[in-house]
């Protein structure tokens, strides 16, 4: 049974960056698709980007391209999402998920406020 | 991008009622749709994958159908614990896109 455990809540000021991590246990994340999704009351669920094992590539949503960096660390079985140039509207719950939603992390609340 | 138009946005029904929720894709996506249930403050839970396959452990009153551009989630007999928001996800093509959600309330 795959489990995803995310890092804790973060608070940032506008213009700053935040990095959220997601530790994968119970499966090899190089063999499964993994993705980052965020949720707000205003916009609902938005896919930010993800990894496709069939081509080994990370793809980013156009909306976040240039501002989000997705990485993986096989030594710690961790995938991460870094979002830069934060704005108030980036305040959201951020989730990692695998296998097209088969398993989700517990979510990380990121609050952006001056 | 493929748009997923979900309807209705909210439904109020009685225990035992049949509830149907629809997602329409802006273009054909084969059977690449999953359905999720999310309760307030909780993580989404997948109910259905590949349009009609029931996730292990999910009650059989939940079912999914559809292919191409129209997909339906059916709750055959609504139970008190089914009060939640339900949403669809298309994973045929990047970017993955979600429906806007349907809030199901028990009368």
């Amino acid at each position: 049974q795959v489990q995803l455990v995310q890092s804790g809540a973060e608070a940032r000021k506008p213009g700053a960056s935040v990095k959220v991590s997601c530790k994968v246990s119970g499966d090899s994340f190089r063999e499964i698709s993994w993705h980052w999704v965020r949720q707000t009351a205003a916009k609902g669920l938005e896919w930010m980007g993800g990894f496709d094992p069939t081509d080994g590539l990370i793809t980013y949503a156009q909306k976040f391209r240039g501002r989000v960096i997705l990485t993986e660390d096989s030594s710690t079985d961790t995938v991460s999402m870094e979002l830069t140039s934060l704005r108030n509207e980036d305040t959201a719950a951020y989730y990692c998920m695998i296998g097209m939603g088969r398993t989700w992390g517990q979510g990380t609340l990121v609050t952006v406020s001056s | 991008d493929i748009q997923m138009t979900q309807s209705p946005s909210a439904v109020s029904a009685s225990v035992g009622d049949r509830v149907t929720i629809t997602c329409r894709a802006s273009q054909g996506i084969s059977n690449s749709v999953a359905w999720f249930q999310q309760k307030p403050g909780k993580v989404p839970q997948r109910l259905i994958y590949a349009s009609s396959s029931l996730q292990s452990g999910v009650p059989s009153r939940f079912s999914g159908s559809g292919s191409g551009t129209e997909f339906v989630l059916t709750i055959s007999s609504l139970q008190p614990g089914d009060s939640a928001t339900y949403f669809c996800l298309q994973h045929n093509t990047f970017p993955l896109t979600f429906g806007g959600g349907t809030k199901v309330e028990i009368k």
Side-chain angles (χ1 to χ4, degrees):
Chain A
Q1 183 79 0
V2 180
Q3 288 192 318
L4 306 177
V5 179
Q6 297 182 219
S7 51
E10 302 274 11
R12 294 285 187 274
K13 293 188 183 304
S17 299
V18 69
K19 189 170 186 177
V20 180
S21 65
C22 173
K23 186 168 177 62
V24 183
S25 61
D27 207 339
S28 168
F29 62 78
R30 292 295 301 176
E31 298 174 6
I32 54 176
S33 66
W34 53 262
H35 306 269
W36 286 88
V37 172
R38 77 178 188 183
Q39 186 172 33
T40 62
K43 291 284 185 74
L45 288 152
E46 296 180 287
W47 178 78
M48 302 178 71
F51 171 78
D52 183 350
T54 61
D55 59 18
L57 297 177
I58 292 173
T59 301
Y60 296 96
Q62 178 70 32
K63 174 177 179 176
F64 299 101
R65 206 164 290 158
R67 239 180 17 111
V68 68
I69 305 166
L70 303 185
T71 55
E72 56 186 29
D73 184 343
S74 57
S75 67
T76 58
D77 291 333
T78 300
V79 298
S80 299
M81 183 281 300
E82 183 174 14
L83 188 60
T84 63
S85 303
L86 288 168
R87 310 156 185 164
N88 289 344
E89 53 267 35
D90 291 321
T91 294
Y94 289 78
Y95 294 98
C96 56
M97 72 171 197
I98 60 162
M100 299 309 176
R102 172 162 50 97
T103 306
W104 295 62
Q106 82 274 23
T108 297
L109 179 62
V110 173
T111 304
V112 183
S113 173
S114 54
Chain B
D1 297 3
I2 296 172
Q3 308 302 317
M4 297 297 287
T5 303
Q6 186 170 342
S7 62
S9 57
V11 59
S12 181
S14 300
V15 172
D17 282 354
R18 183 182 188 88
V19 173
T20 60
I21 299 167
T22 300
C23 270
R24 287 187 174 83
S26 58
Q27 63 191 73
I29 55 171
S30 185
N31 68 336
S32 302
V33 165
W35 289 94
F36 299 84
Q37 176 193 70
Q38 187 178 29
K39 297 185 177 180
K42 300 295 187 182
V43 177
Q45 299 292 321
R46 194 168 73 174
L47 304 173
I48 302 289
Y49 62 96
S51 178
S52 60
S53 295
L54 190 68
Q55 186 71 40
S56 176
V58 173
S60 58
R61 63 180 180 274
F62 292 95
S63 64
S65 63
S67 182
T69 60
E70 185 158 327
F71 302 87
V72 178
L73 174 70
T74 300
I75 309 173
S76 61
S77 178
L78 193 66
Q79 299 301 303
D82 298 338
S83 178
T85 297
Y86 295 81
F87 55 88
C88 61
L89 163 69
Q90 75 78 20
H91 55 85
N92 185 74
T93 308
F94 285 160
L96 306 187
T97 47
F98 293 87
T102 297
K103 188 169 185 177
V104 175
E105 175 194 90
I106 310 294
K107 280 182 186 173

